[in-house]
Amino acid sequence: MERIDDRHLEEIRHFLRESRKELGKLVPLVRKHYRWESLPEPKKARVYAVDGSRMARRLSGAIIYAVSASAVGDDLYYWNDIGALFPYSNADDRIRVHMDTLEKRMGALVGEMSDLVLMDGTISGALIRPPSYANSTTNQLYERHGRTLLEASLDFLDALNLKWREWKRELKKGVISGPSLLARGREGKSIFKILEEKGSRSIRGKIWWVVDAENLIVLFEYLEYLHALDRLLGNEIASIAKTFYRSDVIGTVAEREKLKKVPIMVDTPVVASLTDGSGYLRFSSKVGKKEALAQLILDLMEHGFFENLREILVLDGRKIEGARIRPAYVRFADGGLIYLLEVPEKQDFEETLAKILSVAEDEYVIPLEYAHHSVVIKKREFDAYVDAILSAIVGEDEAYLNFLRYGREPLE
């Protein structure tokens, strides 16, 4: 593209011109129903911030990927893993959930030695939108195996609790590098072999799991994610999202003012137009599409697991009505950007914000910035690492090459 096409310029200009007209109508209405509040005084606290990253390479017969999580506070903690998956459906979602699991596990572990854990993104997203592939897989397996699957899941979660102690010891070194999903097995042993050796009566001497082994691994990965999320929720936490598209404030104003037409606009430019000063605006989340928890998860809750998750979710039977989270739009410095802050209802909102302000500088939160920069997986380094692994493997046996070719090789 050598020059700007005037038609493209005019199209974007027209969009922004029309949006400004809507903005001019909305700002007075938002001021009528909402209050921009001053930031509290900072409160000194031990705060850790957590962020994650992922990178993948699609090969002819496999996807090789890396995930990492970093926690920054008084010290720096880092966890990374390299994994492989067959390139079939839901592979990308499983890689994302693997990264999320690592983030939340890291947050839970550093939460045991801090006053507040800051997560990048949102807490609510993790709570009210379970991965659709995990829900459907779980429901199908539970219909087929019933009580046997429940017992196997309980055994798996018990094994995770034991593994937690090991992870706590390892993290004291500062860096953990290696397999991070118990669901994928350990040292050449499948998760089913591990559970059998631990005396799982639902697995030992049984063959029910053999046909569904791959789907059971997917289920156990999901349980591992929920286990990390539940542990995280047991700490003082908050989340800050940099990118978000919410219309809760506009939707509420449209309802209260009985507007015939709800403006198609997100909250951010409207809230930013209220004032240039620092501060925050609290609001209530609008209920969107209601997702459902798998029955197996509810039954595991009845057996004493996921108690923190159960406490924070608003449930109507299996339906997720919402989460006990207080959201707010916040600006940390005059003229700064608007961020989305979420704090669990059980915590004091202003005190939590005061703790965050103790590590904020200018318009952002310093530990979150450092966590982001420390965790990013650089493509060049990832490619070099994967190339080294593949060369070593193919050097052992060239028959592996058919799994490891790269479709873009002729173009590079």
Side-chain angles (χ1 to χ4, degrees):
M1 299 177 70
E2 296 182 0
R3 62 182 297 274
I4 297 174
D5 189 311
D6 291 339
R7 292 170 298 179
H8 296 156
L9 188 63
E10 181 54 36
E11 185 176 345
I12 295 172
R13 186 186 290 119
H14 175 74
F15 169 79
L16 293 174
R17 191 183 297 123
E18 294 302 309
S19 297
R20 281 184 65 181
K21 290 179 184 177
E22 294 289 351
L23 188 67
K25 300 173 188 175
L26 284 168
V27 169
L29 297 178
V30 171
R31 284 203 178 103
K32 179 179 172 182
H33 295 281
Y34 288 92
R35 186 177 64 171
W36 184 258
E37 301 184 57
S38 299
L39 295 174
E41 287 297 313
K43 180 178 180 179
K44 188 172 178 58
R46 192 176 187 189
V47 179
Y48 271 86
V50 177
D51 201 358
S53 183
R54 67 185 188 271
M55 182 76 69
R57 185 194 289 188
R58 293 179 174 274
L59 304 170
S60 52
I63 299 175
I64 308 295
Y65 70 93
V67 290
S68 62
S70 174
V72 176
D74 291 346
D75 297 295
L76 169 64
Y77 297 99
Y78 187 75
W79 198 335
N80 69 79
D81 192 3
I82 295 281
L85 286 174
F86 289 119
Y88 67 100
S89 62
N90 304 317
D92 290 336
D93 287 332
R94 287 175 68 188
I95 292 169
R96 178 183 56 79
V97 168
H98 189 171
M99 181 194 74
D100 287 345
T101 301
L102 215 55
E103 277 187 66
K104 287 163 180 60
R105 188 182 292 157
M106 176 71 86
L109 287 166
V110 298
E112 296 177 14
M113 49 182 155
S114 62
D115 300 316
L116 180 68
V117 177
L118 272 177
M119 304 299 293
D120 182 68
T122 65
I123 304 167
S124 59
L127 295 169
I128 64 178
R129 289 186 293 275
S132 58
Y133 78 91
N135 254 8
S136 59
T137 300
T138 303
N139 289 330
Q140 290 166 13
L141 289 170
Y142 207 25
E143 286 175 11
R144 278 203 292 276
H145 303 296
R147 180 75 190 181
T148 305
L149 179 63
L150 176 61
E151 290 173 356
S153 300
L154 291 168
D155 291 339
F156 177 70
L157 291 169
D158 284 337
L160 271 179
N161 283 338
L162 291 174
K163 192 70 180 172
W164 196 267
R165 301 171 194 169
E166 183 182 323
W167 286 325
K168 282 179 68 174
R169 289 194 301 269
E170 287 186 44
L171 195 63
K172 290 178 181 178
K173 303 172 187 174
V175 177
I176 301 179
S177 181
S180 56
L181 288 179
L182 184 60
R184 303 264 181 93
R186 279 288 183 281
E187 299 171 352
K189 295 179 182 178
S190 72
I191 182 56
F192 309 106
K193 183 65 174 175
I194 292 171
L195 292 178
E196 182 182 15
E197 291 179 351
K198 289 183 178 294
S200 172
R201 289 183 293 178
S202 60
I203 299 293
R204 189 168 57 187
K206 309 288 176 62
I207 61 171
W208 65 272
W209 55 267
V210 176
V211 174
D212 283 321
E214 188 62 35
N215 282 333
L216 284 165
I217 290 171
V218 171
L219 166 60
F220 286 161
E221 288 175 7
Y222 179 47
L223 294 181
E224 200 154 348
Y225 164 75
L226 292 178
H227 182 268
L229 174 59
D230 184 71
R231 289 273 189 152
L232 173 67
L233 293 171
N235 298 281
E236 293 277 313
I237 63 170
S239 66
I240 295 177
K242 302 182 289 293
T243 305
F244 49 91
Y245 301 102
R246 303 277 292 260
S247 300
D248 304 85
V249 168
I250 292 174
T252 299
V253 166
E255 284 179 11
R256 293 176 181 175
E257 293 290 327
K258 295 181 172 56
L259 300 181
K260 293 180 180 178
K261 181 183 176 184
V262 180
I264 302 174
M265 187 180 295
V266 294
D267 288 340
T268 310
V270 180
V271 174
S273 299
L274 297 175
T275 175
D276 289 329
S278 62
Y280 66 97
L281 182 151
R282 290 170 62 166
F283 63 94
S284 298
S285 296
K286 304 290 288 181
V287 178
K289 179 184 175 184
K290 295 178 182 177
E291 303 288 348
L293 272 183
Q295 185 61 48
L296 173 64
I297 307 305
L298 291 174
D299 290 346
L300 290 169
M301 288 177 174
E302 291 297 324
H303 282 76
F305 284 96
F306 308 140
E307 290 183 355
N308 296 313
L309 186 60
R310 187 177 195 171
E311 180 184 337
I312 203 169
L313 284 174
V314 180
L315 294 171
D316 179 9
R318 287 178 51 202
K319 288 286 185 183
I320 301 172
E321 297 286 335
R324 294 180 176 89
I325 298 286
R326 291 193 180 98
Y329 295 120
V330 60
R331 183 188 277 135
F332 293 107
D334 292 350
L337 296 171
I338 299 292
Y339 297 100
L340 173 61
L341 170 66
E342 291 187 339
V343 177
E345 285 183 2
K346 66 181 182 179
Q347 295 172 210
D348 184 282
F349 182 89
E350 286 226 348
E351 183 177 341
T352 300
L353 180 52
K355 289 177 182 178
I356 295 171
L357 291 170
S358 74
V359 291
E361 186 175 308
D362 294 328
E363 60 177 302
Y364 200 47
V365 180
I366 298 304
L368 267 178
E369 182 179 349
Y370 288 170
H372 172 75
H373 290 303
S374 66
V375 81
V376 170
I377 301 170
K378 296 180 174 62
K379 187 176 186 304
R380 182 178 296 179
E381 294 175 4
F382 171 73
D383 286 342
Y385 192 78
V386 171
D387 286 342
I389 289 175
L390 300 186
S391 294
I393 291 172
V394 173
E396 294 172 4
D397 189 339
E398 289 191 3
Y400 290 127
L401 190 60
N402 290 331
F403 290 93
L404 305 175
R405 299 304 296 269
Y406 180 41
R408 297 183 63 86
E409 284 176 9
L411 306 179
E412 296 183 350

